[in-house]
Structures are given as C-alpha cells and as structure tokens.
Amino acid sequence: MNRLILLTILVSYACAYEVAPTEVSLLSDGGVIKLLIQINVTCGDKLTTICLDNVLYLILLLRRARDYFSCVPLQCEQVTTPATTTAQSPTTTTASPSTSHGTTATTTQGSTTSTVQPVAGTLLFEDTFDTFDLDVWEHEITAGGGGNWEFQYYTNNRSNSYVRDNILYIKPTLTADKEGEGFLTSGTLNLWGASPADLCTGNNWYGCQRSGSYNNIINPIQSARLRTVNTFAFKYGKIEIEAQMPKGDWIWPAIWLLPKRNAYGQWPASGEIDLVECRGNLNLAAEDGTQVGVNQMGSTMHWGPYWPLNGWHQTHASVNLPDGKTFADGFHKYGLEWTSEGLKFYLDDTLILDVDPGTNGFWDYGAFDNTHPGIDNPWANSPNKLAPFDQEFYIIMNVAVGGTGYFSDSFTNTPKAKPWLNTSPTAAKDFYDAKADWYPTWNPDTNNGEDAAMKIKSVRVYTV
Ligand SMILES: *[C@@H]1O[C@H](CO)[C@@H](O)[C@H](O)[C@H]1NC(C)=O
Ligand SMILES: *[C@@H]1O[C@H](CO)[C@@H](O)[C@H](O)[C@H]1NC(C)=O
C-alpha cells in the first residue's frame, strides 16, 4: 500500500486535478504476478479512469505525469467513459478510445513494449529537451547520403547534435575541422563501429566506409540525423514540432516520418511523410522567379508502387513567408493531423495541405494503372483507403547539405552560382572547391556557428 500512497501523492501533485484513491490489485496471469492499478482522475465533473497493468509503463508515465495529467487540458471537452481494464497480456495497457480513429503507438522501454490506445487528445509523446534523451533519439551513423549523394555524413558527435537551454541543435560542420583537409582526398572514413552505440546504421550507397581520392572526395560535411525507430512509432495522431530552420547556402533541414516496418515493401511503396523541408539559401530562385530558399518551406508525402514511380507531386505544398521573412528568423510550429480518413498539414495552425485519396485509395489517386498497366498494386490487400499510410511511422530530424536531388540545376543562386551540376560525377568536390562562396553564408564565426543549425524546441504527439 505504500506504493499506492506514493502514486496518489505524485499524481495529485502533478495534476492539480483531484485524484481518487486508487485501486491496486495483484493478479496472477499464467504464473506471472502482475500489479493492476486503476487511477481515477477528476477534471471538473468529468472522470477519466486510467488503467495500468505494467509497472515499467507506469514509471514512464510518472516521468511524464505533469504533461500527461496536467498540461493536456484533461479531456474536459471530450468526456471519457471509465476505461476497461484488460488483463490478457502482461505488457498491454488498454483504455477505450473516444473516437473511431484509433491512434496506436508503441513505446519501447528496455525489452517491454506497451501498446496504448488512450482517449483522443491525449499526449502520447513529448520532448521539450530538458536533456538530450538518447533513450529516445538514436543517431544514424552513415555516409550514404540518403539516396541523393548528399555531401554530409551523419555521426554521433556533440559538436553536431546537442541540447542547450531546452533547445536541440543539429549543426553541420566541416569534416576537415576534425580530420584535416588532406583526409578528404586521401583518408578513409570508416563508420563500421565496434560497440552497439557506434555501429553504422546504413551501408547502402557506400554508407559505412569510403576512401577519398582527388575526384571522389570523402563527404566534406559532418552532421546529424536522429530517429525514434526503436523507441517510438505511432499510427494516426497529431504531431506538432516547434523548430527554427538553419540559414546558409545548400543546407537542407528536414523533419519527417518513415514507416517502422515497410509493410508494403521498399521506398516509396510503404510511404514517407515530410512535415517540413527547407533550403537554407539566402537568395535562391526557381525558373519562374519563385523564391525557393530559406523563406520557403514544403510539406510532402511520398508514395508509389516502386521507385521511381512516386505520386509525391499530388501531395505536396510549399509556403513562402511574405516581406522577406524567413523560416530561419524564428520558431514555427509544423503540424500534422493524421487520421484514418486523411492527412492535414499545418504551418502555425494554418492548414497548408489536405490529403484524402478518396475511397479507392492511393492506387487510384495516383492513376498508376493508367500510366503503367499491369503492374502490381502493393496496397491491394489492405482494407484501409489510406494504405500505405495506415501503418506505424517514426520520427526523423536531420540537417543534410547539397546532394544531387533537392537543389535543381535550374535554380538561380545569388550572388554565387550553384557550384555543382546534379549530373556531375565529382559533385562533392565541385561543391567543396567553391567553399569560399558558400561557407561564409553559414556565419561560422558568429553565434557559435548556430545560424546554420536547425533548432528544435519541442516535439509532441497526441492521439486523435
Ligand atoms: C473509478 O471510477 C469508476 C467509475 O465511477 C468506479 O467504478 C471505480 O470504483 C473508481 N475507482 C476508484 C479506485 O475509485
Ligand atoms: C566532434 O567533432 C568536432 C568538430 O569537428 C571534433 O573537433 C571532435 O574531435 C569530434 N569528436 C569526436 C569524439 O570525434
């Protein structure tokens, strides 16, 4: 009973809501003794019952008790019926959802996985960067360049990814700062690693080991990419991220989601959801004169039966800020509301992209049968119109640089032209040879070089 008193005090303290005396019972389930806890939380005249049958999950919950119970206006609008407690599985906590959208999520702590189906509007995941929680954010370690021959390699280094004053920074730096200039043309970058936290995470496109030569230099930029693939993934939900984009020519920040399991096969068959992508360039214009640098952001979904068939152009929106403002001037909120009916993308709470493929789903929406008769539909056996976006996705945040895909050769950069062609076999060398053109735009000598960093203030995911 001591545990019960402690729990009641903790929750009352965190809540400012009335917490009813809690019921604790011990169950024996197939020889496993389990602690079953029922907490009643009262908000006005509404009552929410939270049932837990997993002590590990309880600890996680208590760590976030303040947010879970208090910072979320506790379902005062959304009345909840008392939850049912299920005791079939020793690791599953279930509460009745109040809508049919049915958010599901997996949060993995150690070896235990909890599947949670709480009421709509419940905070499911939050990071406000009190610390750099490496239990949540895993570094990717690779030089592969994301399939675009990007010029950075991703590493786990506190010069490139760090938390300070409740802000997560992802900052690109020069590889030569660490390894010396000669390394680029004659060194070997070996990212294979020897212990679990060091292991190369992507060998595709020579991602784990590269040797430099005069024309084929080692990735001249060092940066970071973080993901939650092993710790947090969700299906349907509302995600909101407050972030400030980096400024500097050829910097390419992104906050996006990838499928945890590739249920429909390899990219892009299992989908990709990009909340925000941006180009750090100060003065970059498309052929029609549109500014496509740091005063523009884009949201995109990628989907198609196989590469390069991809209907992304049907599910893309970009927004330009007026009056010379840029996405690097301050924080903006990038949001996505994802239900079983569709996906709505928001910039600072304004709807910018609303995707509903219709009842026949993305296969018909992309008209793949018309353009490529006879090919297989990877989503054919899913009953959900949203397939492939009917599976769990995880969060990725990274800062890339250059590459041969995202910066079109038809763009005009001012005052210094783009130093490489996307068809060049020596793209990274051409880019790096022009360092005097672009590196000053990163402002490396002011603000600790952080103008070139993406800054993230918060990441939140709610149920829908
Ligand atoms: C929680 O509320 C439900 C519904 O009113 C009630 O049946 C249950 O006994 C309460 N549990 C506790 C521990 O107070
Ligand atoms: C991290 O990067 C910085 C800047 O390039 C470098 O000076 C430092 O040696 C690196 N640290 C490790 C542990 O590799």
Side-chain angles (χ1 to χ4, degrees):
M1 278 298 131
N2 283 346
R3 230 180 298 206
L4 164 61
I5 292 162
L6 180 67
L7 181 70
T8 307
I9 291 170
L10 269 174
V11 174
S12 307
Y13 171 76
C15 289
Y17 293 110
E18 192 190 325
V19 180
T22 306
E23 218 168 71
V24 178
S25 44
L26 286 174
L27 290 187
S28 169
D29 180 29
V32 184
I33 304 289
K34 292 191 310 173
L35 187 65
L36 200 72
I37 301 162
Q38 196 186 72
I39 314 169
N40 282 349
V41 183
T42 314
C43 175
D45 56 353
K46 310 291 180 351
L47 174 78
T48 299
T49 303
I50 293 160
C51 299
L52 303 163
D53 64 355
N54 179 312
V55 177
L56 274 182
Y57 182 63
L58 175 65
I59 291 163
L60 172 72
L61 201 65
L62 284 177
R63 270 175 56 192
R64 302 200 169 154
R66 178 172 291 276
D67 315 314
Y68 198 94
F69 293 111
S70 162
C71 300
V72 189
L74 193 80
Q75 283 87 42
C76 268
E77 267 72 65
Q78 292 142 330
V79 188
T80 59
T81 48
T84 50
T85 306
T86 49
Q88 312 96 325
S89 149
T91 55
T92 304
T93 304
T94 315
S96 326
S98 67
T99 72
S100 60
H101 299 307
T103 298
T104 59
T106 50
T107 306
T108 307
Q109 294 284 306
S111 60
T112 308
T113 299
S114 297
T115 303
V116 194
Q117 282 189 307
V119 294
T122 303
L123 189 62
L124 209 55
F125 176 94
E126 178 177 60
D127 203 336
T128 50
F129 304 105
D130 300 334
T131 59
F132 195 1
D133 191 347
L134 298 176
D135 278 345
V136 172
W137 300 103
E138 177 197 15
H139 282 87
E140 292 193 38
I141 298 175
T142 179
N148 301 296
W149 301 108
E150 293 151 24
F151 303 150
Q152 80 290 338
Y153 78 96
Y154 290 126
T155 183
N156 171 13
N157 181 312
R158 291 299 72 72
S159 298
N160 299 104
S161 52
Y162 51 94
V163 163
R164 192 184 69 234
D165 297 337
N166 289 84
I167 304 281
L168 169 68
Y169 293 80
I170 302 182
K171 185 174 88 175
T173 59
L174 303 177
T175 304
D177 287 350
K178 179 172 177 232
E179 309 282 0
E181 297 286 349
F183 180 79
L184 300 180
T185 49
S186 61
T188 293
L189 180 68
N190 181 338
L191 301 176
W192 286 110
S195 63
D198 269 346
L199 298 182
C200 181
T201 56
N203 188 34
N204 209 359
W205 307 292
Y206 313 99
C208 296
Q209 186 166 334
R210 286 187 181 192
S211 293
S213 67
Y214 179 77
N215 278 324
N216 203 359
I217 66 169
I218 285 176
N219 312 35
I221 306 295
Q222 182 178 296
S223 188
R225 170 159 150 168
L226 304 169
R227 65 182 181 186
T228 63
V229 63
N230 293 313
T231 51
F232 176 74
F234 67 107
K235 175 173 90 171
Y236 308 138
K238 183 168 115 183
I239 176 164
E240 290 185 337
I241 299 187
E242 291 176 287
Q244 179 175 355
M245 295 297 123
K247 189 166 66 175
D249 287 358
W250 318 117
I251 301 178
W252 174 9
I255 299 175
W256 48 307
L257 309 176
L258 275 181
K260 184 177 161 91
R261 296 185 190 85
N262 278 3
Y264 303 102
Q266 290 187 326
W267 193 89
S270 294
E272 171 186 321
I273 304 171
D274 303 336
L275 265 80
V276 51
E277 284 182 287
C278 189
R279 298 178 188 87
N281 296 58
L282 279 47
N283 282 294
L284 187 68
E287 273 173 297
D288 65 3
T290 309
Q291 286 295 313
V292 292
V294 71
N295 71 347
Q296 187 189 67
M297 62 73 69
S299 294
T300 313
M301 289 158 62
H302 293 269
W303 44 279
Y306 53 81
W307 186 85
L309 281 189
N310 181 345
W312 72 270
H313 48 274
Q314 288 174 258
T315 49
H316 168 77
S318 57
V319 176
N320 283 71
L321 290 177
D323 312 322
K325 294 202 190 80
T326 80
F327 287 96
D329 296 339
F331 284 88
H332 290 271
K333 189 164 79 181
Y334 303 95
L336 166 72
E337 200 175 294
W338 172 27
T339 70
S340 54
E341 292 301 307
L343 292 92
K344 292 179 162 62
F345 294 76
Y346 294 86
L347 171 64
D348 297 320
D349 297 318
T350 300
L351 183 66
I352 58 168
L353 175 65
D354 187 351
V355 176
D356 178 348
T359 46
N360 292 332
F362 281 95
W363 186 253
D364 276 19
Y365 191 52
F368 296 114
D369 253 345
N370 303 344
T371 54
H372 296 76
I375 61 171
D376 282 352
N377 171 2
W379 314 311
N381 298 315
S382 168
N384 304 317
K385 72 171 195 181
L386 229 54
F389 302 99
D390 63 339
Q391 303 289 325
E392 285 188 348
F393 278 64
Y394 63 92
I395 306 167
I396 308 175
M397 309 195 288
N398 64 256
V399 174
V401 173
T404 57
Y406 193 56
F407 295 91
S408 166
D409 289 339
S410 68
F411 293 166
T412 304
N413 194 58
T414 315
K416 304 289 184 178
K418 184 178 171 217
W420 78 98
L421 290 174
N422 289 342
T423 48
S424 169
T426 58
K429 174 189 186 327
D430 303 342
F431 163 76
Y432 196 63
D433 283 349
K435 187 176 119 187
D437 290 351
W438 51 262
Y439 195 47
T441 68
W442 293 21
N443 284 338
D445 299 325
T446 50
N447 298 331
N448 190 29
E450 286 167 358
D451 288 0
M454 177 158 72
K455 304 167 189 82
I456 297 125
K457 198 191 276 184
S458 66
V459 179
R460 294 189 177 89
V461 180
Y462 305 86
T463 56
V464 289

